[in-house]
């Protein structure tokens, strides 16, 4: 497959009020007016997360993600795999959160110089280049109060003077030659379970059953929804966004039988922690 000459032309950051508070362009500048198509789709959406992730316009495609109440809107001129762009936008958000502790409008504005430096390194001529955090931190030092004061006085930047050693590693997220006092290895086993829910209009009780894992003891989650004090009753049945987490539990019954580690001389401690975690989904009452 032949890739286009440039994948991502511009990036706009839109807050919950619908204001563009930051924009970044690679090579050519795209007018802010292109986001009018995004704002129109935003007005038609019943919920903020229901804005279509891909919006075609006469001359561009707008691909966006919503994270931390901020829309990250990428402008694409040629047709490209949308999941490729969406994954890059999520990497941008994760990088901001790793650098600044939080990914909020205030944090981005307070560190706008570092933000532009990061975006310049993460994307080269419209294509993702450096997206691993450990490589970026060697290219661009994370902001600190002392470093900010020194940069203000001396006029220097956070950009490093040497190439990151992580680029020479066969494992891009791990720096070469690194050693830890306590080595730990974590493995995630992800499984998906389908469930059904029932809503009793008399008792106003919503129950969700997860399959027939154990006929004698069927796992079930129940909850209720209440309005805030003083809030008016909605005209229509609301849509409920559901997420849950259960520590030290594996609803499917999947268990780890044994753990083996090779290539190490010491005897590792082997421990297992279980957690059942729900994905994001909606229940329409």
């Amino acid at each position: 497959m032949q890739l286009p000459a440039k994948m991502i032309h511009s990036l706009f950051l839109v807050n919950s009020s619908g204001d563009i508070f930051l924009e970044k362009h690679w090579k050519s500048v795209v007018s802010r007016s292109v986001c009018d198509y995004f704002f129109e789709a935003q007005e038609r959406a019943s919920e903020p997360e229901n804005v279509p992730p891909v919006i075609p316009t006469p001359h561009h495609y707008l691909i966006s993600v919503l994270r931390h109440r901020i829309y990250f809107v990428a402008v694409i001129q040629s047709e490209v795999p949308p999941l490729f762009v969406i994954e890059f936008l999520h990497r941008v958000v994760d990088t901001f959160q790793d650098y600044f502790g939080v990914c909020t409008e205030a944090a981005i504005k307070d560190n706008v110089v570092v933000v532009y430096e990061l975006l310049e390194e993460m994307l080269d001529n419209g294509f993702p280049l450096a997206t691993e955090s450990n490589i970026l931190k060697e290219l661009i030092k994370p902001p600190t109060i002392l470093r900010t004061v020194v940069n203000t006085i001396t006029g220097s930047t956070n950009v490093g003077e040497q190439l990151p050693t992580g680029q020479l590693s066969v494992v891009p997220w791990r720096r070469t030659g690194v050693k830890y006092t306590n080595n730990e290895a974590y493995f995630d086993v992800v499984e998906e379970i389908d469930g059904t829910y029932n809503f009793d209009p008399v008792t106003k009780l919503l129950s969700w059953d997860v399959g027939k894992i154990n006929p004698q003891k069927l796992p079930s989650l129940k909850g209720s929804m209440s309005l805030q004090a003083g809030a008016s009753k909605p005209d229509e049945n609301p849509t409920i966004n559901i997420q849950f987490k259960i520590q030290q539990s594996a609803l499917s019954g999947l268990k780890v039988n044994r753990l083996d580690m090779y290539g190490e001389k010491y005897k590792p401690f082997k421990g297992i922690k279980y957690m059942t975690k729900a994905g994001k989904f909606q229940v329409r009452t």
Side-chain angles (χ1 to χ4, degrees):
M1 180 180 65
Q2 185 177 2
L3 292 173
K6 182 182 288 291
M7 181 167 290
I8 300 177
H9 278 67
S10 300
L11 176 65
F12 294 94
L13 270 59
V14 182
N15 60 20
S16 56
S17 301
D19 299 324
I20 301 175
F21 66 91
L22 186 138
E23 59 185 275
K24 168 64 178 174
H25 307 278
W26 288 269
K27 193 175 182 180
S28 59
V29 177
V30 178
S31 174
R32 284 190 172 194
S33 61
V34 73
C35 292
D36 292 343
Y37 298 95
F38 173 81
F39 296 140
E40 292 176 1
Q42 188 181 20
E43 292 179 358
R44 292 192 298 267
S46 58
E47 298 290 340
E49 58 269 18
N50 290 341
V51 176
V54 181
I55 302 173
T57 73
H59 303 289
H60 302 87
Y61 293 93
L62 304 181
I63 301 179
S64 64
V65 299
L66 175 62
R67 295 278 300 274
H68 307 289
R69 302 180 64 184
I70 299 175
Y71 290 98
F72 291 75
V73 185
V75 180
I76 317 297
Q77 189 170 6
S78 304
E79 188 173 351
V80 298
L83 289 179
F84 192 91
V85 181
I86 290 174
E87 174 62 22
F88 173 77
L89 294 178
H90 282 297
R91 287 294 185 97
V92 171
V93 179
D94 294 339
T95 300
F96 288 172
Q97 190 164 7
D98 190 19
Y99 263 72
F100 313 135
V102 293
C103 183
T104 61
E105 180 180 356
I108 293 174
K109 287 182 177 179
D110 291 342
N111 300 278
V112 64
V113 175
V114 179
V115 167
Y116 280 113
E117 291 172 346
L118 287 171
L119 293 176
E120 195 66 33
E121 294 294 339
M122 296 183 72
L123 211 66
D124 180 34
N125 196 34
F127 287 94
L129 178 63
T131 58
E132 293 295 340
S133 181
N134 78 293
I135 294 179
L136 287 169
K137 285 182 178 179
E138 292 191 46
L139 285 168
I140 302 170
K141 302 301 180 184
T144 61
I145 297 178
L146 178 60
R147 187 174 292 120
T148 301
V149 173
V150 172
N151 291 347
T152 303
I153 297 175
T154 63
S156 57
T157 66
N158 291 353
V159 180
E161 298 179 355
Q162 297 180 349
L163 287 176
T165 57
Q167 288 185 335
L168 305 178
S169 172
V170 293
V171 184
W173 48 265
R174 181 182 175 95
R175 297 190 301 271
T176 56
V178 66
K179 294 184 178 180
Y180 298 100
T181 304
N182 296 320
N183 276 330
E184 296 179 333
Y186 295 93
F187 302 93
D188 291 331
V189 179
V190 180
E191 54 178 336
E192 296 182 358
I193 303 175
D194 294 329
T196 59
Y197 73 92
N198 295 303
F199 178 73
D200 189 341
V202 178
T203 61
K204 306 296 183 183
L205 188 63
L206 175 71
S207 62
W208 188 66
D209 296 329
V210 186
K212 293 183 179 180
I213 301 172
N214 186 349
Q216 285 73 34
K217 189 178 180 181
L218 184 66
S220 178
L221 297 176
K222 298 181 179 180
S224 61
M225 185 189 71
S226 59
L227 299 176
Q228 294 181 353
S232 59
K233 185 177 179 180
D235 297 332
E236 299 179 356
N237 293 335
T239 299
I240 305 174
N241 295 320
I242 296 180
Q243 286 181 305
F244 66 86
K245 183 187 297 184
I246 306 176
Q247 300 286 355
Q248 301 299 335
S249 174
L251 292 183
S252 66
L254 181 67
K255 300 293 182 180
V256 176
N257 185 32
R258 58 181 291 178
L259 291 174
D260 295 322
M261 180 176 289
Y262 301 95
E264 295 292 347
K265 297 180 180 179
Y266 67 92
K267 184 178 180 180
F269 167 77
K270 302 176 183 180
I272 300 174
K273 293 182 179 180
Y274 295 93
M275 181 179 69
T276 293
K277 184 178 180 181
K280 184 178 180 181
F281 56 95
Q282 296 181 348
V283 175
R284 301 185 184 274
T285 60

